[in-house]
Amino acid sequence: SHGILIVGVLVVALPIWIAFVGSTHTLDAIIASPMPIWPGAELWANYSQVLSTGGTGGTRAPVLRMLGVSFAIASLIAVGKIILALISAFALVYFRFRFKQIVFWLIFITLMLPVEVRISPTYKIVSDLGMLNSYAGLTLPLLASATATFLFRQFFMTVPDELVEASRMDGASPMRFFWDVLLPLSKTNIAALFVIMFIYGWNQYLWPLLVSTEEKYYPIVIGIKQMISAESQVEWHLVMATAMLALIPPVLVVIGMQRWFVKGLVDAEK
């Protein structure tokens, strides 16, 4: 079993190692045959260049700024999805209103309608509202999450009714019950969903490509694509340095929240 795991790690890590090695050499060394397999002496020069001035190909936007844009987009999407999902699940479980079950199934059906399917009407609405080239346009259409709503709904349904009755006897309002009881119980689920939604937002490509035409709103994924699609010779050493920098924020989020992430997925004590 350990042998299989080691092989799996090597398969996953080899492309990352090649990218890191490429980011520490000059362009001439990379395009030479065979390509080096050990780090070179250009690490500081390559990373300093992409962080401050970017490449000289399809985009000259500094990578540091694109990383900031990606971090802002991913954070806003993750937090917005969790907030909307929490409130929606709370209403579906603890409030009585007509057609509640129909509303739930309408939300659930949207799982079959990702952004790519409704891209044209969504773009038309964002354009008419004047939200092109803005953080609102980059994030608002992606905030609704049927998956997160469903997961929080299923969790809220496992909360003992005794907690609800005790809160009522203490005179707690619905929002007080939500804030003081449900949110603390949901922290592991929130952490797990935050990691998933953050990576989802970080990897967004198609929607930012449509709504951002100014370089100051380019996320890092689009920046890498622009560098690769340059009309001149692709500066692969700078592309690989940018790709390595793009890995750092999501990796830090996963490592930093790993314990909560795993607990939120496997903990059965609700």
Side-chain angles (χ1 to χ4, degrees), residues 3-229:
I4 295 174
L5 290 174
I6 292 173
V7 171
V9 169
L10 291 176
V11 170
V12 173
L14 181 60
I16 299 176
W17 174 255
I18 295 299
F20 172 72
V21 170
S23 69
T24 63
H25 286 275
T26 62
L27 177 61
D28 293 335
I30 294 178
I31 62 178
S33 181
M35 177 181 171
I37 60 172
W38 300 109
E42 301 298 322
L43 185 147
W44 178 253
N46 292 341
Y47 282 82
S48 298
Q49 179 176 345
V50 296
L51 283 173
S52 58
T53 62
T56 58
T59 178
R60 292 192 59 84
V63 171
L64 186 61
R65 186 174 68 193
M66 291 190 291
L67 287 172
V69 172
S70 289
F71 185 82
I73 293 174
S75 300
L76 289 172
I77 289 176
V79 173
K81 280 179 176 289
I82 289 173
I83 292 175
L84 286 179
L86 280 168
I87 296 174
S88 302
F90 178 59
L92 288 171
V93 174
Y94 292 101
F95 287 84
R96 297 179 181 177
F97 54 90
R98 297 181 63 184
F99 309 116
K100 182 171 73 171
Q101 199 65 21
I102 295 177
V103 171
F104 167 71
W105 283 109
L106 287 176
I107 295 174
F108 195 73
I109 287 173
T110 60
L111 286 172
M112 296 183 290
L113 298 173
V115 175
E116 291 76 11
V117 174
R118 48 186 170 86
I119 199 78
S120 296
T122 305
Y123 179 84
K124 180 68 166 58
I125 294 172
V126 171
S127 177
D128 292 344
L129 293 176
M131 293 194 300
L132 297 179
N133 292 310
S134 68
Y135 286 104
L138 287 167
T139 57
L140 284 179
L142 305 176
L143 293 188
S145 175
T147 303
T149 302
F150 175 74
L151 292 177
F152 281 123
R153 173 185 178 270
Q154 297 305 110
F155 169 69
F156 289 165
M157 292 176 66
T158 65
V159 174
D161 294 336
E162 289 79 3
L163 289 177
V164 182
E165 296 299 329
S167 299
R168 288 175 179 171
M169 293 177 64
D170 289 339
S173 64
M175 292 308 299
R176 185 64 181 271
F177 170 72
F178 172 77
W179 188 262
D180 290 344
V181 178
L182 289 182
L183 278 185
L185 291 175
S186 306
K187 59 185 180 182
T188 55
N189 303 73
I190 292 174
L193 281 172
F194 179 84
V195 173
I196 296 172
M197 299 305 176
F198 183 90
I199 295 176
Y200 165 83
W202 185 270
N203 290 331
Q204 282 298 310
Y205 172 74
L206 178 60
W207 182 247
L209 181 66
L210 292 176
V211 300
S212 59
T213 58
E214 300 178 6
E215 283 193 346
K216 65 179 181 179
Y217 292 107
Y218 279 179
I220 189 66
V221 179
I222 291 182
I224 294 174
K225 176 60 178 177
Q226 294 288 347
M227 294 172 69
I228 295 177
S229 60

